[in-house]
Amino acid sequence: MKTKNIFTVLLILLSISFYAQETKIFEKKEKIYALKVAFISNDLSLTSNEAEKFWPIYNSYENKQFDLKRQKFISFIKKIDNESLNKMSDKEALIVLTQMEATEDELFQMQKKLIFNLKSVISPVKIIKLKKAEEEFKKKLLQQYRDKGPRR
């Protein structure tokens, strides 16, 4: 009986720990996205009318892009761990490459749709500034990560 209770308590503690880690990851993602929004807002200098139309389009694009990347990444990781990769035939590798290309195409089509939708909301110059701001934000984020050094 005591063993069952101890096992139950351990299971609950592990569940709480897992939930806490998931919450921490979600909070980091939200924090990074908030920083990105501020960075882009600052660079684009959107009017209130532009911002009202821009952010729903951009947020929808970001969410769809994130979901697609996460879904495909998980799928690819399952297929190409070191052991599976070493045993993979050329035919299987071609299938994985085709799937990777399809994902890249899908991401590209999503980006084209974003640009098309934004053309009616902001100027072409601001769309180019958006692309530049996204790249600068990525560089800044990577630099901050590098500056922190390895976790201990």
Side-chain angles (χ1 to χ4, degrees):
M1 184 71 168
K2 280 188 176 185
T3 307
K4 260 188 176 177
N5 289 341
I6 291 173
F7 180 72
T8 303
V9 169
L10 285 174
L11 188 60
I12 290 170
L13 289 175
L14 285 173
S15 297
I16 290 170
S17 174
F18 178 73
Y19 177 75
Q21 287 175 346
E22 286 291 316
T23 302
K24 192 174 182 179
I25 290 169
F26 178 76
E27 288 172 357
K28 281 185 179 184
K29 180 184 176 285
E30 289 296 313
K31 183 179 177 182
I32 290 171
Y33 191 71
L35 290 170
K36 184 177 182 179
V37 167
F39 192 86
I40 288 172
S41 294
N42 185 52
D43 273 19
L44 294 185
S45 303
L46 298 172
T47 66
S48 59
N49 188 36
E50 288 173 332
E52 185 179 315
K53 295 174 184 172
F54 171 83
W55 287 112
I57 294 169
Y58 188 78
N59 289 336
S60 175
Y61 163 77
E62 282 286 300
N63 290 334
K64 288 177 185 174
Q65 181 187 44
F66 176 80
D67 289 342
L68 177 65
K69 285 181 177 180
R70 184 179 48 115
Q71 173 191 3
K72 298 300 181 177
F73 179 75
I74 290 169
S75 172
F76 292 144
I77 290 301
K78 288 179 181 176
K79 291 178 184 172
I80 61 171
D81 64 16
N82 284 339
E83 191 175 318
S84 298
L85 191 55
N86 290 333
K87 294 178 182 177
M88 188 178 286
S89 70
D90 283 347
K91 187 176 180 179
E92 292 169 325
L94 282 174
I95 291 169
V96 172
L97 284 174
T98 302
Q99 291 170 340
M100 292 169 77
E101 289 171 345
T103 299
E104 290 298 321
D105 285 344
E106 198 170 344
L107 288 167
F108 178 70
Q109 292 305 319
M110 289 171 67
Q111 190 173 40
K112 281 178 64 174
K113 185 177 179 185
L114 171 70
I115 292 169
F116 177 81
N117 290 337
L118 289 178
K119 284 180 183 177
S120 64
V121 175
I122 59 176
S123 72
V125 171
K126 285 187 178 182
I127 293 172
I128 293 170
K129 284 183 179 182
L130 168 65
K131 295 299 170 194
K132 185 174 183 257
E134 288 175 325
E135 290 303 314
E136 287 176 5
F137 182 78
K138 286 180 197 173
K139 286 179 187 176
K140 183 179 175 182
L141 195 62
L142 283 171
Q143 189 60 47
Q144 286 178 351
Y145 180 75
R146 285 185 195 125
D147 291 346
K148 275 188 173 181
R151 292 185 181 166
R152 296 175 199 228

Short mmCIF file of all heavy atoms in Angstrom, two decimals, residues 85-139:
data_model
loop_
_atom_site.label_atom_id
_atom_site.label_comp_id
_atom_site.label_asym_id
_atom_site.label_seq_id
_atom_site.Cartn_x
_atom_site.Cartn_y
_atom_site.Cartn_z
N LEU A 85 19.05 7.34 -39.34
CA LEU A 85 19.75 7.95 -40.47
C LEU A 85 20.81 7.01 -41.03
O LEU A 85 20.95 6.88 -42.24
CB LEU A 85 20.38 9.27 -40.03
CG LEU A 85 20.92 10.18 -41.12
CD1 LEU A 85 19.85 10.48 -42.16
CD2 LEU A 85 21.44 11.45 -40.52
N ASN A 86 21.52 6.33 -40.16
CA ASN A 86 22.55 5.39 -40.62
C ASN A 86 21.96 4.18 -41.32
O ASN A 86 22.63 3.56 -42.13
CB ASN A 86 23.42 4.95 -39.43
CG ASN A 86 24.31 6.06 -38.94
OD1 ASN A 86 24.66 6.97 -39.68
ND2 ASN A 86 24.65 6.02 -37.66
N LYS A 87 20.72 3.83 -41.00
CA LYS A 87 20.07 2.67 -41.61
C LYS A 87 19.19 3.07 -42.80
O LYS A 87 18.64 2.20 -43.47
CB LYS A 87 19.21 1.95 -40.57
CG LYS A 87 20.01 1.32 -39.45
CD LYS A 87 19.09 0.67 -38.44
CE LYS A 87 19.86 0.08 -37.29
NZ LYS A 87 18.97 -0.49 -36.27
N MET A 88 19.05 4.35 -43.06
CA MET A 88 18.14 4.83 -44.08
C MET A 88 18.66 4.50 -45.49
O MET A 88 19.83 4.71 -45.79
CB MET A 88 17.98 6.35 -43.93
CG MET A 88 16.91 6.95 -44.80
SD MET A 88 16.75 8.74 -44.52
CE MET A 88 15.91 8.76 -42.95
N SER A 89 17.75 4.02 -46.32
CA SER A 89 18.11 3.75 -47.71
C SER A 89 18.02 5.05 -48.51
O SER A 89 17.43 6.04 -48.05
CB SER A 89 17.15 2.72 -48.31
OG SER A 89 15.86 3.28 -48.48
N ASP A 90 18.59 5.04 -49.71
CA ASP A 90 18.50 6.22 -50.56
C ASP A 90 17.05 6.54 -50.91
O ASP A 90 16.67 7.71 -50.99
CB ASP A 90 19.32 6.02 -51.84
CG ASP A 90 20.81 6.18 -51.61
OD1 ASP A 90 21.19 6.68 -50.53
OD2 ASP A 90 21.59 5.81 -52.51
N LYS A 91 16.25 5.51 -51.10
CA LYS A 91 14.84 5.72 -51.43
C LYS A 91 14.11 6.42 -50.27
O LYS A 91 13.35 7.36 -50.48
CB LYS A 91 14.17 4.36 -51.73
CG LYS A 91 12.75 4.48 -52.23
CD LYS A 91 12.20 3.11 -52.61
CE LYS A 91 10.78 3.25 -53.12
NZ LYS A 91 10.21 1.96 -53.51
N GLU A 92 14.37 5.96 -49.05
CA GLU A 92 13.76 6.60 -47.87
C GLU A 92 14.26 8.03 -47.70
O GLU A 92 13.49 8.93 -47.36
CB GLU A 92 14.08 5.78 -46.61
CG GLU A 92 13.40 4.43 -46.56
CD GLU A 92 13.94 3.54 -45.45
OE1 GLU A 92 15.16 3.61 -45.15
OE2 GLU A 92 13.13 2.78 -44.88
N ALA A 93 15.55 8.24 -47.97
CA ALA A 93 16.13 9.58 -47.87
C ALA A 93 15.49 10.53 -48.88
O ALA A 93 15.23 11.69 -48.57
CB ALA A 93 17.64 9.53 -48.06
N LEU A 94 15.23 10.02 -50.08
CA LEU A 94 14.58 10.85 -51.09
C LEU A 94 13.17 11.25 -50.66
O LEU A 94 12.74 12.38 -50.92
CB LEU A 94 14.53 10.12 -52.44
CG LEU A 94 15.83 10.10 -53.21
CD1 LEU A 94 15.70 9.22 -54.46
CD2 LEU A 94 16.25 11.51 -53.60
N ILE A 95 12.48 10.35 -50.00
CA ILE A 95 11.14 10.68 -49.49
C ILE A 95 11.22 11.78 -48.45
O ILE A 95 10.45 12.75 -48.48
CB ILE A 95 10.45 9.41 -48.91
CG1 ILE A 95 10.13 8.43 -50.04
CG2 ILE A 95 9.20 9.77 -48.12
CD1 ILE A 95 9.70 7.05 -49.57
N VAL A 96 12.18 11.68 -47.53
CA VAL A 96 12.35 12.71 -46.51
C VAL A 96 12.73 14.04 -47.15
O VAL A 96 12.20 15.10 -46.79
CB VAL A 96 13.41 12.28 -45.46
CG1 VAL A 96 13.73 13.42 -44.50
CG2 VAL A 96 12.92 11.07 -44.68
N LEU A 97 13.64 14.01 -48.13
CA LEU A 97 14.02 15.24 -48.83
C LEU A 97 12.83 15.88 -49.54
O LEU A 97 12.66 17.10 -49.52
CB LEU A 97 15.13 14.96 -49.84
CG LEU A 97 16.53 14.78 -49.27
CD1 LEU A 97 17.49 14.35 -50.37
CD2 LEU A 97 17.00 16.04 -48.58
N THR A 98 12.00 15.06 -50.14
CA THR A 98 10.80 15.56 -50.82
C THR A 98 9.87 16.23 -49.81
O THR A 98 9.30 17.29 -50.08
CB THR A 98 10.07 14.42 -51.56
OG1 THR A 98 10.99 13.85 -52.50
CG2 THR A 98 8.84 14.91 -52.27
N GLN A 99 9.72 15.62 -48.65
CA GLN A 99 8.88 16.21 -47.60
C GLN A 99 9.47 17.53 -47.11
O GLN A 99 8.74 18.48 -46.86
CB GLN A 99 8.72 15.23 -46.43
CG GLN A 99 7.88 14.02 -46.79
CD GLN A 99 7.92 12.94 -45.72
OE1 GLN A 99 8.82 12.90 -44.88
NE2 GLN A 99 6.93 12.05 -45.74
N MET A 100 10.79 17.57 -46.98
CA MET A 100 11.44 18.81 -46.55
C MET A 100 11.24 19.91 -47.58
O MET A 100 10.96 21.06 -47.23
CB MET A 100 12.94 18.56 -46.30
CG MET A 100 13.20 17.67 -45.11
SD MET A 100 14.92 17.11 -44.99
CE MET A 100 15.71 18.59 -44.34
N GLU A 101 11.37 19.57 -48.85
CA GLU A 101 11.15 20.54 -49.91
C GLU A 101 9.71 21.03 -49.91
O GLU A 101 9.45 22.22 -50.11
CB GLU A 101 11.49 19.93 -51.27
CG GLU A 101 12.96 19.71 -51.49
CD GLU A 101 13.26 18.91 -52.75
OE1 GLU A 101 12.33 18.27 -53.32
OE2 GLU A 101 14.42 18.90 -53.18
N ALA A 102 8.77 20.13 -49.69
CA ALA A 102 7.36 20.51 -49.64
C ALA A 102 7.09 21.48 -48.49
O ALA A 102 6.33 22.45 -48.65
CB ALA A 102 6.48 19.27 -49.50
N THR A 103 7.74 21.25 -47.38
CA THR A 103 7.59 22.15 -46.24
C THR A 103 8.14 23.53 -46.57
O THR A 103 7.52 24.56 -46.29
CB THR A 103 8.30 21.59 -44.99
OG1 THR A 103 7.69 20.33 -44.66
CG2 THR A 103 8.18 22.53 -43.81
N GLU A 104 9.33 23.56 -47.19
CA GLU A 104 9.93 24.83 -47.58
C GLU A 104 9.02 25.57 -48.58
O GLU A 104 8.86 26.78 -48.49
CB GLU A 104 11.32 24.62 -48.18
CG GLU A 104 12.36 24.20 -47.16
CD GLU A 104 12.58 25.22 -46.07
OE1 GLU A 104 12.59 26.44 -46.34
OE2 GLU A 104 12.74 24.81 -44.91
N ASP A 105 8.45 24.82 -49.52
CA ASP A 105 7.52 25.43 -50.48
C ASP A 105 6.30 26.01 -49.77
O ASP A 105 5.85 27.11 -50.08
CB ASP A 105 7.06 24.40 -51.52
CG ASP A 105 8.11 24.10 -52.57
OD1 ASP A 105 9.08 24.88 -52.68
OD2 ASP A 105 7.96 23.07 -53.26
N GLU A 106 5.79 25.26 -48.81
CA GLU A 106 4.62 25.72 -48.07
C GLU A 106 4.94 26.99 -47.28
O GLU A 106 4.15 27.94 -47.26
CB GLU A 106 4.14 24.61 -47.12
CG GLU A 106 2.73 24.79 -46.64
CD GLU A 106 2.20 23.57 -45.90
OE1 GLU A 106 2.77 22.46 -46.01
OE2 GLU A 106 1.19 23.73 -45.21
N LEU A 107 6.11 27.04 -46.68
CA LEU A 107 6.53 28.24 -45.96
C LEU A 107 6.68 29.43 -46.91
O LEU A 107 6.28 30.55 -46.60
CB LEU A 107 7.83 27.99 -45.20
CG LEU A 107 7.74 27.08 -43.98
CD1 LEU A 107 9.12 26.66 -43.51
CD2 LEU A 107 6.97 27.76 -42.86
N PHE A 108 7.24 29.16 -48.08
CA PHE A 108 7.40 30.22 -49.08
C PHE A 108 6.04 30.74 -49.54
O PHE A 108 5.84 31.95 -49.68
CB PHE A 108 8.22 29.70 -50.27
CG PHE A 108 8.40 30.71 -51.36
CD1 PHE A 108 9.20 31.83 -51.16
CD2 PHE A 108 7.77 30.55 -52.59
CE1 PHE A 108 9.36 32.77 -52.17
CE2 PHE A 108 7.92 31.49 -53.59
CZ PHE A 108 8.73 32.60 -53.39
N GLN A 109 5.10 29.83 -49.78
CA GLN A 109 3.75 30.25 -50.19
C GLN A 109 3.07 31.07 -49.09
O GLN A 109 2.35 32.04 -49.39
CB GLN A 109 2.89 29.03 -50.56
CG GLN A 109 3.34 28.31 -51.82
CD GLN A 109 3.43 29.22 -53.03
OE1 GLN A 109 2.59 30.08 -53.27
NE2 GLN A 109 4.50 29.05 -53.81
N MET A 110 3.30 30.70 -47.85
CA MET A 110 2.74 31.47 -46.74
C MET A 110 3.32 32.88 -46.72
O MET A 110 2.61 33.85 -46.49
CB MET A 110 3.02 30.76 -45.40
CG MET A 110 2.21 29.50 -45.20
SD MET A 110 2.74 28.55 -43.75
CE MET A 110 2.26 29.65 -42.44
N GLN A 111 4.62 32.98 -46.98
CA GLN A 111 5.28 34.28 -47.00
C GLN A 111 4.75 35.14 -48.16
O GLN A 111 4.52 36.33 -48.00
CB GLN A 111 6.78 34.10 -47.10
CG GLN A 111 7.55 35.38 -46.88
CD GLN A 111 9.04 35.14 -46.81
OE1 GLN A 111 9.57 34.34 -47.58
NE2 GLN A 111 9.71 35.83 -45.92
N LYS A 112 4.56 34.52 -49.32
CA LYS A 112 4.00 35.24 -50.47
C LYS A 112 2.60 35.76 -50.14
O LYS A 112 2.26 36.89 -50.49
CB LYS A 112 3.95 34.33 -51.70
CG LYS A 112 5.28 34.19 -52.40
CD LYS A 112 5.21 33.26 -53.58
CE LYS A 112 4.32 33.76 -54.68
NZ LYS A 112 4.36 32.92 -55.89
N LYS A 113 1.81 34.92 -49.48
CA LYS A 113 0.44 35.32 -49.11
C LYS A 113 0.48 36.48 -48.11
O LYS A 113 -0.32 37.41 -48.20
CB LYS A 113 -0.31 34.13 -48.52
CG LYS A 113 -1.76 34.42 -48.21
CD LYS A 113 -2.48 33.19 -47.70
CE LYS A 113 -3.93 33.55 -47.37
NZ LYS A 113 -4.64 32.43 -46.77
N LEU A 114 1.43 36.41 -47.17
CA LEU A 114 1.57 37.51 -46.21
C LEU A 114 1.85 38.82 -46.94
O LEU A 114 1.19 39.83 -46.69
CB LEU A 114 2.71 37.22 -45.22
CG LEU A 114 3.10 38.39 -44.31
CD1 LEU A 114 2.00 38.68 -43.29
CD2 LEU A 114 4.43 38.12 -43.62
N ILE A 115 2.80 38.79 -47.85
CA ILE A 115 3.15 40.01 -48.60
C ILE A 115 1.95 40.51 -49.40
O ILE A 115 1.65 41.70 -49.40
CB ILE A 115 4.38 39.76 -49.49
CG1 ILE A 115 5.62 39.55 -48.61
CG2 ILE A 115 4.60 40.92 -50.47
CD1 ILE A 115 6.84 39.05 -49.35
N PHE A 116 1.26 39.60 -50.05
CA PHE A 116 0.07 39.97 -50.83
C PHE A 116 -0.96 40.65 -49.92
O PHE A 116 -1.51 41.70 -50.27
CB PHE A 116 -0.53 38.73 -51.51
CG PHE A 116 -1.80 39.02 -52.25
CD1 PHE A 116 -1.76 39.58 -53.52
CD2 PHE A 116 -3.04 38.75 -51.67
CE1 PHE A 116 -2.93 39.86 -54.21
CE2 PHE A 116 -4.21 39.01 -52.36
CZ PHE A 116 -4.16 39.58 -53.63
N ASN A 117 -1.21 40.06 -48.75
CA ASN A 117 -2.21 40.61 -47.83
C ASN A 117 -1.77 41.95 -47.24
O ASN A 117 -2.60 42.82 -46.98
CB ASN A 117 -2.51 39.62 -46.70
CG ASN A 117 -3.28 38.41 -47.18
OD1 ASN A 117 -3.96 38.44 -48.20
ND2 ASN A 117 -3.15 37.32 -46.45
N LEU A 118 -0.47 42.11 -47.03
CA LEU A 118 0.02 43.35 -46.44
C LEU A 118 0.04 44.51 -47.42
O LEU A 118 0.00 45.67 -47.01
CB LEU A 118 1.43 43.14 -45.85
CG LEU A 118 1.51 42.30 -44.59
CD1 LEU A 118 2.96 42.14 -44.16
CD2 LEU A 118 0.67 42.88 -43.47
N LYS A 119 0.09 44.21 -48.71
CA LYS A 119 0.13 45.28 -49.72
C LYS A 119 -1.08 46.21 -49.64
O LYS A 119 -0.97 47.39 -49.98
CB LYS A 119 0.24 44.68 -51.13
CG LYS A 119 1.61 44.17 -51.47
CD LYS A 119 1.64 43.60 -52.87
CE LYS A 119 2.98 43.02 -53.21
NZ LYS A 119 2.99 42.39 -54.55
N SER A 120 -2.19 45.70 -49.18
CA SER A 120 -3.38 46.55 -49.06
C SER A 120 -3.44 47.27 -47.72
O SER A 120 -4.34 48.07 -47.48
CB SER A 120 -4.65 45.71 -49.25
OG SER A 120 -4.76 44.75 -48.21
N VAL A 121 -2.47 46.99 -46.85
CA VAL A 121 -2.49 47.56 -45.50
C VAL A 121 -1.36 48.56 -45.28
O VAL A 121 -1.58 49.63 -44.71
CB VAL A 121 -2.39 46.42 -44.45
CG1 VAL A 121 -2.29 46.96 -43.05
CG2 VAL A 121 -3.57 45.48 -44.58
N ILE A 122 -0.15 48.21 -45.73
CA ILE A 122 1.00 49.10 -45.57
C ILE A 122 1.72 49.25 -46.90
O ILE A 122 1.52 48.47 -47.83
CB ILE A 122 1.98 48.58 -44.48
CG1 ILE A 122 2.51 47.19 -44.81
CG2 ILE A 122 1.32 48.61 -43.11
CD1 ILE A 122 3.56 46.65 -43.83
N SER A 123 2.56 50.24 -46.97
CA SER A 123 3.28 50.52 -48.22
C SER A 123 4.32 49.44 -48.51
O SER A 123 4.78 48.75 -47.60
CB SER A 123 3.98 51.88 -48.12
OG SER A 123 5.08 51.80 -47.25
N PRO A 124 4.71 49.31 -49.79
CA PRO A 124 5.76 48.35 -50.13
C PRO A 124 7.07 48.63 -49.39
O PRO A 124 7.79 47.70 -49.01
CB PRO A 124 5.94 48.54 -51.64
CG PRO A 124 4.61 49.05 -52.11
CD PRO A 124 4.10 49.90 -50.98
N VAL A 125 7.37 49.89 -49.15
CA VAL A 125 8.58 50.23 -48.40
C VAL A 125 8.50 49.66 -46.99
O VAL A 125 9.48 49.11 -46.48
CB VAL A 125 8.80 51.77 -48.37
CG1 VAL A 125 9.93 52.14 -47.42
CG2 VAL A 125 9.07 52.30 -49.77
N LYS A 126 7.34 49.76 -46.35
CA LYS A 126 7.19 49.23 -44.99
C LYS A 126 7.24 47.70 -44.99
O LYS A 126 7.70 47.10 -44.02
CB LYS A 126 5.90 49.73 -44.35
CG LYS A 126 6.00 51.18 -43.91
CD LYS A 126 4.80 51.63 -43.12
CE LYS A 126 4.99 53.08 -42.68
NZ LYS A 126 3.86 53.56 -41.87
N ILE A 127 6.80 47.07 -46.07
CA ILE A 127 6.91 45.61 -46.16
C ILE A 127 8.38 45.21 -46.21
O ILE A 127 8.80 44.26 -45.54
CB ILE A 127 6.13 45.06 -47.38
CG1 ILE A 127 4.63 45.28 -47.19
CG2 ILE A 127 6.43 43.58 -47.59
CD1 ILE A 127 3.78 44.96 -48.40
N ILE A 128 9.17 45.96 -46.97
CA ILE A 128 10.60 45.68 -47.03
C ILE A 128 11.24 45.96 -45.67
O ILE A 128 12.08 45.18 -45.20
CB ILE A 128 11.27 46.51 -48.15
CG1 ILE A 128 10.77 46.00 -49.52
CG2 ILE A 128 12.80 46.41 -48.08
CD1 ILE A 128 11.16 46.86 -50.69
N LYS A 129 10.81 47.04 -45.01
CA LYS A 129 11.31 47.34 -43.67
C LYS A 129 10.95 46.22 -42.69
O LYS A 129 11.73 45.89 -41.79
CB LYS A 129 10.75 48.67 -43.17
CG LYS A 129 11.39 49.88 -43.78
CD LYS A 129 10.81 51.15 -43.17
CE LYS A 129 11.46 52.39 -43.74
NZ LYS A 129 10.94 53.62 -43.12
N LEU A 130 9.77 45.63 -42.88
CA LEU A 130 9.35 44.50 -42.03
C LEU A 130 10.33 43.34 -42.19
O LEU A 130 10.79 42.77 -41.20
CB LEU A 130 7.94 44.05 -42.39
CG LEU A 130 7.47 42.72 -41.80
CD1 LEU A 130 7.37 42.82 -40.27
CD2 LEU A 130 6.13 42.31 -42.40
N LYS A 131 10.64 42.98 -43.43
CA LYS A 131 11.58 41.88 -43.68
C LYS A 131 12.95 42.19 -43.07
O LYS A 131 13.58 41.32 -42.45
CB LYS A 131 11.72 41.60 -45.18
CG LYS A 131 10.44 41.10 -45.81
CD LYS A 131 10.04 39.80 -45.17
CE LYS A 131 8.68 39.34 -45.55
NZ LYS A 131 8.19 38.27 -44.69
N LYS A 132 13.39 43.42 -43.22
CA LYS A 132 14.67 43.83 -42.64
C LYS A 132 14.61 43.77 -41.11
O LYS A 132 15.54 43.28 -40.46
CB LYS A 132 15.02 45.24 -43.10
CG LYS A 132 16.38 45.71 -42.65
CD LYS A 132 16.72 47.07 -43.27
CE LYS A 132 18.10 47.48 -42.88
NZ LYS A 132 18.14 48.49 -41.85
N ALA A 133 13.53 44.24 -40.53
CA ALA A 133 13.37 44.22 -39.06
C ALA A 133 13.35 42.79 -38.54
O ALA A 133 13.95 42.50 -37.48
CB ALA A 133 12.10 44.96 -38.66
N GLU A 134 12.68 41.88 -39.25
CA GLU A 134 12.65 40.48 -38.83
C GLU A 134 14.07 39.89 -38.79
O GLU A 134 14.43 39.20 -37.84
CB GLU A 134 11.76 39.65 -39.76
CG GLU A 134 10.29 39.91 -39.60
CD GLU A 134 9.44 39.17 -40.63
OE1 GLU A 134 9.88 39.01 -41.79
OE2 GLU A 134 8.33 38.74 -40.26
N GLU A 135 14.84 40.17 -39.83
CA GLU A 135 16.21 39.66 -39.89
C GLU A 135 17.09 40.28 -38.80
O GLU A 135 17.88 39.59 -38.17
CB GLU A 135 16.83 39.91 -41.28
CG GLU A 135 16.22 39.06 -42.37
CD GLU A 135 16.30 37.57 -42.09
OE1 GLU A 135 17.38 37.09 -41.68
OE2 GLU A 135 15.28 36.88 -42.28
N GLU A 136 16.94 41.58 -38.59
CA GLU A 136 17.72 42.25 -37.55
C GLU A 136 17.35 41.71 -36.17
O GLU A 136 18.22 41.53 -35.31
CB GLU A 136 17.50 43.75 -37.61
CG GLU A 136 18.20 44.41 -38.77
CD GLU A 136 17.91 45.90 -38.88
OE1 GLU A 136 17.22 46.47 -37.99
OE2 GLU A 136 18.36 46.50 -39.85
N PHE A 137 16.07 41.43 -35.96
CA PHE A 137 15.65 40.88 -34.68
C PHE A 137 16.26 39.50 -34.46
O PHE A 137 16.75 39.20 -33.37
CB PHE A 137 14.12 40.80 -34.59
CG PHE A 137 13.64 40.27 -33.26
CD1 PHE A 137 13.63 41.09 -32.15
CD2 PHE A 137 13.23 38.96 -33.12
CE1 PHE A 137 13.22 40.62 -30.91
CE2 PHE A 137 12.82 38.46 -31.89
CZ PHE A 137 12.81 39.30 -30.78
N LYS A 138 16.26 38.66 -35.49
CA LYS A 138 16.88 37.34 -35.38
C LYS A 138 18.37 37.46 -35.02
O LYS A 138 18.87 36.74 -34.16
CB LYS A 138 16.75 36.55 -36.70
CG LYS A 138 15.38 36.02 -36.98
CD LYS A 138 15.39 35.28 -38.31
CE LYS A 138 14.01 35.09 -38.84
NZ LYS A 138 14.01 34.52 -40.20
N LYS A 139 19.07 38.36 -35.71
CA LYS A 139 20.49 38.56 -35.44
C LYS A 139 20.71 39.02 -34.00
O LYS A 139 21.61 38.54 -33.31
CB LYS A 139 21.08 39.60 -36.40
CG LYS A 139 21.29 39.09 -37.80
CD LYS A 139 21.86 40.19 -38.68
CE LYS A 139 21.92 39.76 -40.12
NZ LYS A 139 22.38 40.86 -40.99
#
